[in-house]
Amino acid sequence: SSMRASRSDVVRLMQYFNANSTCSAHAIGASSCQHKHSPYHAFSTTAQQQQQQDLSTDYAFEFKSSNLRFGRGVTAEVGADLMNWNAKNVLLITDPHMVNLPPVKNTLDSFAKNGVRYEVYDQTRCEPTDASFMDAITFAKSKEFDAFVAVGGGSVIDTAKAANLYSTYRDYELFDFVNAPTGKGLPVPGPLKPMIAIPTTTGTGSETTGVAVFDIEAMSCKTGIANRYLTPNLALVDSDNAQYQPNGVVASAGFDVLCHTLESYTSLSYQDRSPRPSNPKLRPAYQGANPIADIWCRVALPMIQKYFIRAATDSEDFEAREQMQFASCFAGMGFGTAGVHLCHGMSYPISGLNHHRDYVYRDYEHLEHAIIPHGVSVVVTAPSVFEFTVDAKPERHRDSAVMLGVNENDIKLTDTEHIGKRLRDILLYYMDALQIPMGLEKCGFAFSDIDALVQGTIPQERVTKLSPNPINPEILAKLFENSMAYNK
């Protein structure tokens, strides 16, 4: 079955980690060591290691994800779930396009069958803004809703998270929970109302994470809210719902998945991230690379290599779109714990500055506003970013290139510069195959925009601080410069 490949991937990867574990006693591979090892031996930290560790950096990581239910047609169960939760008044959040399509119709049919009382908010903006968030929040505050259902892509799910948060904690202002330094970065006081996410795109992974991202139009940049309490209680991952995306949407969403995996897999280790939180509630949602996130990244990347181009070029390829839906969830489970770094941090001013311009990516023309979709804004700098980060973690960059299709015999681990170029080349191959703009110039940017792009990236320290290589404004400027135009 279509799920069998995913299961075998997990088994294969657990075997990989067991075989390639490093024995802390002997500093050699576990498979070469004579005494017995637990499969999780390499993940442990000895008391001596903890004592030696810099007390300013973290020593723990926390894994949090939604409950995930997979199955073709599983949307039909949403009404029963709400009744099992004893929900009395549900707010369904979607967008003006999706409200007329079968995923919403099937959700409402399930509501009717189970006697669920509900209202619909269908004004979500694709690539939400502070104004569109506030519109949804105001609607959510207008009634006493006790559960939320989001049917749509990442924009819809993120909007539902925000509506749930601020209608639960009504006395807080929008920027109270927004990531510092853009907002106050206050911790969310406690649990939210129950929420079910029903994703309809093969990307974003928002159904698995506690993150909601939006544009601040006045500042021409993106920011977000990140807290585990925002994580949906349940995600219904219905492969029927993945069939209503035009190819351009599949391409953009898929590149978001691709960059989620690459960035989280190559991010700063959680043990190198600072500051160490004084209270567990202050530990960030994005914590740095860790063994659990690594597993999910290594599951998702081979799936992307096998199914991404198929899914984004053939709307009739049900298997490929279903598998990319799985990859999106698996990548979400990885980056939702590890986080992302420079591609995402640099993407926020790219999409933000475009609000005042006129670039529209293919298959988004119906929106009637300028848009560089999130996945496009993320991947357009990726070839340059990973050439920059490769020397911090060459083995992980090499593994990533191989999992994306580069012949492992063509990359020597001792040649860091060569690894970076091969990873860059395979990313450009995917971008070219799926009609992604080959550089920022193709999106309407010029070298004169670099200063504004750098200034828009600097506040994104929630993610940029997870870069495995330190950055400064000069490095960011060089990365934007190198991303202006690519030669295939």
Short mmCIF file of all heavy atoms in Angstrom, two decimals, residues 94-105 122:
data_model
loop_
_atom_site.label_atom_id
_atom_site.label_comp_id
_atom_site.label_asym_id
_atom_site.label_seq_id
_atom_site.Cartn_x
_atom_site.Cartn_y
_atom_site.Cartn_z
N THR A 94 -12.00 28.95 6.98
CA THR A 94 -11.50 28.56 5.66
C THR A 94 -11.27 29.83 4.85
O THR A 94 -11.18 30.92 5.42
CB THR A 94 -12.48 27.58 4.96
OG1 THR A 94 -11.89 27.06 3.78
CG2 THR A 94 -13.82 28.22 4.66
N ASP A 95 -11.13 29.70 3.52
CA ASP A 95 -10.87 30.89 2.69
C ASP A 95 -11.90 31.00 1.58
O ASP A 95 -12.69 30.06 1.35
CB ASP A 95 -9.44 30.86 2.14
CG ASP A 95 -9.15 29.69 1.21
OD1 ASP A 95 -9.99 29.42 0.32
OD2 ASP A 95 -8.11 29.04 1.35
N PRO A 96 -11.95 32.12 0.85
CA PRO A 96 -13.00 32.33 -0.15
C PRO A 96 -12.98 31.32 -1.30
O PRO A 96 -14.00 31.11 -1.95
CB PRO A 96 -12.70 33.75 -0.68
CG PRO A 96 -11.92 34.42 0.40
CD PRO A 96 -11.11 33.34 1.04
N HIS A 97 -11.82 30.73 -1.56
CA HIS A 97 -11.71 29.73 -2.62
C HIS A 97 -12.14 28.35 -2.11
O HIS A 97 -12.98 27.68 -2.72
CB HIS A 97 -10.27 29.70 -3.13
CG HIS A 97 -10.01 28.67 -4.19
ND1 HIS A 97 -10.58 28.73 -5.45
CD2 HIS A 97 -9.23 27.55 -4.19
CE1 HIS A 97 -10.18 27.70 -6.17
NE2 HIS A 97 -9.36 26.98 -5.43
N MET A 98 -11.60 27.94 -0.97
CA MET A 98 -11.85 26.60 -0.46
C MET A 98 -13.29 26.40 -0.01
O MET A 98 -13.82 25.28 -0.04
CB MET A 98 -10.88 26.33 0.72
CG MET A 98 -10.92 24.91 1.28
SD MET A 98 -10.62 23.61 0.05
CE MET A 98 -8.98 24.04 -0.51
N VAL A 99 -13.98 27.48 0.37
CA VAL A 99 -15.35 27.35 0.90
C VAL A 99 -16.29 26.72 -0.13
O VAL A 99 -17.31 26.13 0.24
CB VAL A 99 -15.88 28.72 1.38
CG1 VAL A 99 -16.19 29.64 0.20
CG2 VAL A 99 -17.08 28.55 2.28
N ASN A 100 -15.94 26.79 -1.41
CA ASN A 100 -16.79 26.24 -2.47
C ASN A 100 -16.35 24.86 -2.95
O ASN A 100 -16.93 24.33 -3.90
CB ASN A 100 -16.81 27.20 -3.66
CG ASN A 100 -17.40 28.55 -3.30
OD1 ASN A 100 -18.46 28.62 -2.68
ND2 ASN A 100 -16.71 29.62 -3.67
N LEU A 101 -15.34 24.28 -2.30
CA LEU A 101 -14.77 23.02 -2.77
C LEU A 101 -15.16 21.86 -1.85
O LEU A 101 -15.58 22.06 -0.70
CB LEU A 101 -13.25 23.13 -2.87
CG LEU A 101 -12.74 24.10 -3.96
CD1 LEU A 101 -11.22 24.18 -3.93
CD2 LEU A 101 -13.24 23.68 -5.34
N PRO A 102 -15.02 20.60 -2.32
CA PRO A 102 -15.45 19.44 -1.54
C PRO A 102 -14.88 19.32 -0.13
O PRO A 102 -15.60 18.83 0.76
CB PRO A 102 -15.01 18.26 -2.42
CG PRO A 102 -15.11 18.79 -3.81
CD PRO A 102 -14.64 20.22 -3.71
N PRO A 103 -13.62 19.71 0.16
CA PRO A 103 -13.17 19.54 1.54
C PRO A 103 -14.05 20.26 2.57
O PRO A 103 -14.33 19.71 3.64
CB PRO A 103 -11.75 20.14 1.51
CG PRO A 103 -11.28 19.88 0.11
CD PRO A 103 -12.49 20.10 -0.74
N VAL A 104 -14.51 21.46 2.25
CA VAL A 104 -15.41 22.17 3.17
C VAL A 104 -16.79 21.54 3.15
O VAL A 104 -17.42 21.35 4.20
CB VAL A 104 -15.47 23.67 2.83
CG1 VAL A 104 -16.60 24.35 3.61
CG2 VAL A 104 -14.13 24.33 3.16
N LYS A 105 -17.28 21.20 1.95
CA LYS A 105 -18.60 20.56 1.86
C LYS A 105 -18.63 19.28 2.68
O LYS A 105 -19.60 19.01 3.42
CB LYS A 105 -18.94 20.26 0.40
CG LYS A 105 -20.29 19.58 0.23
CD LYS A 105 -20.55 19.19 -1.23
CE LYS A 105 -21.93 18.55 -1.37
NZ LYS A 105 -22.02 17.26 -0.61
N ASP A 122 -15.01 32.62 6.26
CA ASP A 122 -14.37 32.22 5.01
C ASP A 122 -13.57 33.36 4.38
O ASP A 122 -13.35 33.37 3.16
CB ASP A 122 -15.40 31.70 4.01
CG ASP A 122 -16.45 32.74 3.63
OD1 ASP A 122 -16.34 33.90 4.07
OD2 ASP A 122 -17.38 32.38 2.87
#
